Amino acid sequence: MSLFNRRNRQLSPTPAGHALAQEMEFSLNHLAQVCVDIKGVEHAEIRLELYSLLAVKWLIPRLGDF
């Protein structure tokens, strides 16, 4: 299963990649809310390990939404 289409130096998500990104976003938001519920604070800390490409192309652009 391919998650990205590569064209020259650009990546774009395949339908499977887009679906996975949506599910990951939902799951990470849910995990953040669980941390808030457990700790009782709104600034819970979550540590992630991921490939740099995923961090640069997906995670970093969305960090402001947290």
Side-chain angles (χ1 to χ4, degrees), residues 28-54:
L28 289 172
N29 286 335
H30 180 73
L31 182 58
Q33 186 59 51
V34 168
C35 289
V36 168
D37 293 345
I38 290 170
K39 287 185 150 189
V41 296
E42 290 197 27
H43 297 290
E45 182 177 300
I46 299 175
R47 293 180 188 222
L48 302 173
E49 287 189 29
L50 59 150
Y51 292 108
S52 58
L53 180 63
L54 182 60

Side-chain angles (χ1 to χ4, degrees), residues 7-29:
R7 179 172 254 164
N8 298 326
R9 292 182 170 243
Q10 294 182 339
L11 290 176
S12 61
T14 63
H18 184 70
L20 180 62
Q22 287 181 323
E23 288 300 319
M24 287 176 61
E25 182 177 10
F26 173 80
S27 296
L28 289 172
N29 286 335

